[in-house]
Amino acid sequence: MASRLQQAVKGAALNFQRTPAEINAAVQRLIRREQQTYDKVAAQRRPTFANTIAPLAKLENTDGGESAIISFLQNVSTDKQVRDASSEAERALLSSRMTSMMREDVYKSVKQVLENPVELARLDPEDRALAESMARQYRQNGLALSAEQRAKLKTIKQRLIELGIEFSRNTNEKDGVALFTRDELAGLPDSFFEDRETRTENGVQKFVVTTKYPDLVPVMQMAKVESTRKQMLYAEETRCPENIALLQEAVGLRLRAAQLLGYQTYAGFRLEENMAKTPDTVLEFASDLRQRMEKLAGAEIKEIETLKRADNEAAGKPYEGLFNWDYRYYSTLVKQRKHHISEEQVKPYFAVERVTRGILDLCQTILGLKFVKAADAPTWHPDVVAYEVWEADGTAFMGHIYLDLFSRAGKYGHACLNPIQAGYEKDDGTR
């Protein structure tokens, strides 16, 4: 039993170590299997859940993990060639998926399942919900439109794929950078300067500060010099100027696509399957929340404003108001002076290893799981730590999680969670 379990664990470990050639080959395999599956479904003379809906769902289960890995590498690989291959792979996979989801012959088969009362009577609620969701996805991809309108929608969707990939590539590859002297970074702890790159500008040695979170957040929270905070925020909010045109084009195309599908707005299209259902519901919720929060925010803003006025008065400068680059800094001061909380003093008690273990222990208790370090699991970078996930009693292996906690060049720059392989039950009853 133990041996079989260990074999299952080893077999479940995902392979993130791919060359550009391997990525390209995997893409061709995935697209070929997708086309074969959709062709088979379209050819069914008597569509049923078993021969139409189930194969499409199984394809997503069996190939979803491989597809996710290939697309994921553009966000984490240290090799630019791998990142570029991953971006191109995502473009090809999304284009293929779009074409498949706009196949009229497949949609007809799916519709026939839902229009067959005998077949529907055999389905449990979960299977029926899957079939209905699948049909809705086809309609959202234009299968209820005329051939002419579908062609227009396909052109728009293809362009949106290209815009999205280019936008993401720009944000991943291009960090904002600012140069400061030590005096301009007054308020930052000594640890901020350890091993930090320096450059000489006009004969003056300056420290290189990027817009990645480990640089940006401390500067915005602790830099005493207002112009430094302003310059950092400007560097962050003006990086990738080429994305402005991409975003503007994407917004217009999304609206055109939504209107082709019969929606007034793109928001209306996106919210149809969500709990809110309509943009009006979201706006009402946001407005109500804003009104409730403004009462609390007003008092907090006054506290912050008092601190900045005092700083300006001490420096002999006129008070010109609060700006975006002020809030984190003065909120940090409020915590320190009013609540006697200093993140720098607290930090030594929260080493990353200790925090990680604490969070995992908490999840183990709440969810009835056990996390075990997987020393031999292949990952995409030496910093990554892999864990096996087991039922608490050790009798059932659930999967892997991977923690990639540190910033580096070419890596996606914000906190995120990337699902890779969804859990599912195989035909033989195993997972």
Side-chain angles (χ1 to χ4, degrees):
M1 176 67 176
S3 176
R4 287 201 301 272
L5 270 178
Q6 290 303 320
Q7 289 177 357
V9 172
K10 187 175 181 180
L14 301 174
N15 177 21
F16 295 95
Q17 297 170 357
R18 310 292 182 95
T19 66
E22 290 170 337
I23 290 172
N24 294 336
V27 168
Q28 297 309 312
R29 288 197 302 272
L30 289 168
I31 291 176
R32 187 165 56 250
R33 282 203 294 264
E34 179 181 57
Q35 291 172 343
Q36 290 170 348
T37 301
Y38 276 76
D39 287 345
K40 189 173 181 180
V41 166
Q44 295 297 334
R45 294 184 178 180
R46 295 182 179 178
T48 64
F49 182 90
N51 66 25
T52 299
I53 307 297
L56 296 175
K58 287 178 181 177
L59 178 69
E60 186 174 339
N61 287 336
T62 56
D63 287 7
E66 179 78 347
S67 177
I69 289 173
I70 288 169
S71 300
F72 170 68
L73 289 173
Q74 66 187 288
N75 296 318
V76 295
S77 176
T78 56
D79 187 331
K80 189 176 187 308
Q81 290 184 327
V82 170
R83 294 199 300 272
D84 289 345
S86 174
S87 292
E88 291 306 313
E90 184 180 33
R91 187 196 308 272
L93 290 169
L94 288 174
S95 296
S96 176
R97 174 70 172 168
M98 176 193 68
T99 299
S100 295
M101 291 300 295
M102 296 185 80
R103 284 186 57 166
E104 189 173 10
D105 51 357
V106 176
Y107 177 52
K108 285 181 179 178
S109 293
V110 172
K111 272 181 60 179
Q112 286 180 50
V113 175
L114 288 168
E115 291 168 355
N116 184 340
V118 176
E119 183 66 18
L120 284 180
R122 297 192 186 107
L123 303 181
D124 61 30
E126 184 178 358
D127 287 345
R128 181 165 183 160
L130 174 62
E132 291 172 348
S133 174
M134 198 171 285
R136 185 163 51 248
Q137 288 177 36
Y138 279 101
R139 290 194 299 274
Q140 289 182 336
N141 278 279
L143 269 300
L145 301 177
S146 67
E148 181 182 357
Q149 288 178 313
R150 280 203 308 274
K152 290 180 180 178
L153 182 63
K154 185 173 183 179
T155 300
I156 291 172
K157 289 171 72 68
Q158 181 62 49
R159 179 58 180 157
L160 284 170
I161 289 171
E162 294 168 0
L163 290 170
I165 289 172
E166 189 175 352
F167 186 99
S168 296
R169 179 184 289 169
N170 290 338
T171 52
N172 286 350
E173 298 286 344
K174 299 176 183 179
D175 294 316
V177 174
L179 304 178
F180 300 104
T181 64
R182 183 69 182 252
D183 288 343
E184 290 170 332
L185 292 169
L188 275 297
D190 291 340
S191 59
F192 185 81
F193 301 93
E194 291 175 2
D195 301 321
R196 181 165 296 280
E197 180 188 353
T198 60
R199 295 180 192 170
T200 300
E201 185 180 61
N202 299 325
V204 179
Q205 188 182 58
K206 294 188 176 183
F207 292 92
V208 177
V209 184
T210 73
T211 53
K212 286 190 178 295
Y213 273 16
D215 285 3
L216 178 66
V217 172
V219 171
M220 300 308 295
Q221 287 181 333
M222 292 183 279
K224 294 180 179 180
V225 181
E226 182 177 354
S227 60
T228 297
R229 302 193 304 272
K230 180 179 179 180
Q231 187 176 340
M232 276 303 300
L233 188 64
Y234 181 82
E236 163 65 5
E237 295 192 350
T238 59
R239 69 189 181 99
C240 303
E242 61 273 30
N243 276 355
I244 295 173
L246 302 182
L247 186 59
Q248 289 173 331
E249 183 181 355
V251 169
L253 289 174
R254 283 178 168 183
L255 177 60
R256 284 174 55 195
Q259 290 175 340
L260 272 174
L261 292 165
Y263 300 86
Q264 284 188 317
T265 65
Y266 180 74
F269 165 70
R270 291 294 295 174
L271 289 168
E272 185 179 49
E273 292 192 58
N274 293 7
M275 184 172 66
K277 299 299 182 188
T278 68
D280 286 343
T281 303
V282 175
L283 292 173
E284 287 171 11
F285 174 81
S287 176
D288 178 66
L289 182 63
R290 181 188 180 96
Q291 291 175 23
R292 294 169 186 267
M293 296 300 293
E294 278 179 343
K295 297 175 183 178
L296 298 172
E300 292 181 1
I301 289 172
K302 284 182 180 179
E303 282 188 293
I304 292 172
E305 193 173 36
T306 299
L307 289 175
K308 186 173 182 184
R309 284 183 183 276
D311 279 354
N312 283 27
E313 185 177 343
K317 295 166 51 180
Y319 178 74
E320 297 176 343
L322 284 173
F323 301 97
N324 285 348
W325 54 83
D326 291 324
Y327 285 99
R328 280 186 175 176
Y329 175 70
Y330 284 105
S331 295
T332 300
L333 284 186
V334 169
K335 285 195 294 185
Q336 292 173 351
R337 296 178 184 181
K338 181 178 179 180
H339 304 293
H340 307 291
I341 297 173
S342 168
E343 291 187 11
E344 284 303 304
Q345 291 178 353
V346 170
K347 189 184 295 184
Y349 299 95
F350 290 89
V352 64
E353 295 83 2
R354 185 172 184 175
V355 172
T356 301
R357 190 65 256 173
I359 292 173
L360 292 179
D361 288 345
L362 185 63
C363 291
Q364 286 182 154
T365 302
I366 294 174
L367 303 175
L369 298 173
K370 180 170 69 172
F371 297 97
V372 181
K373 267 192 179 181
D376 298 330
T379 64
W380 54 91
H381 190 273
D383 286 346
V384 178
V385 181
Y387 288 87
E388 297 168 4
V389 185
W390 295 77
E391 289 281 11
D393 60 8
T395 58
F397 171 69
M398 308 298 291
H400 287 90
I401 62 169
Y402 302 82
L403 303 182
D404 187 1
L405 303 178
F406 303 107
S407 174
R408 61 177 176 270
K411 181 185 173 186
Y412 180 76
H414 298 271
C416 65
L417 172 67
N418 286 279
I420 300 295
Q421 174 64 67
Y424 66 95
E425 190 174 287
K426 300 178 184 177
D427 291 338
D428 62 6
T430 61
R431 290 185 63 78

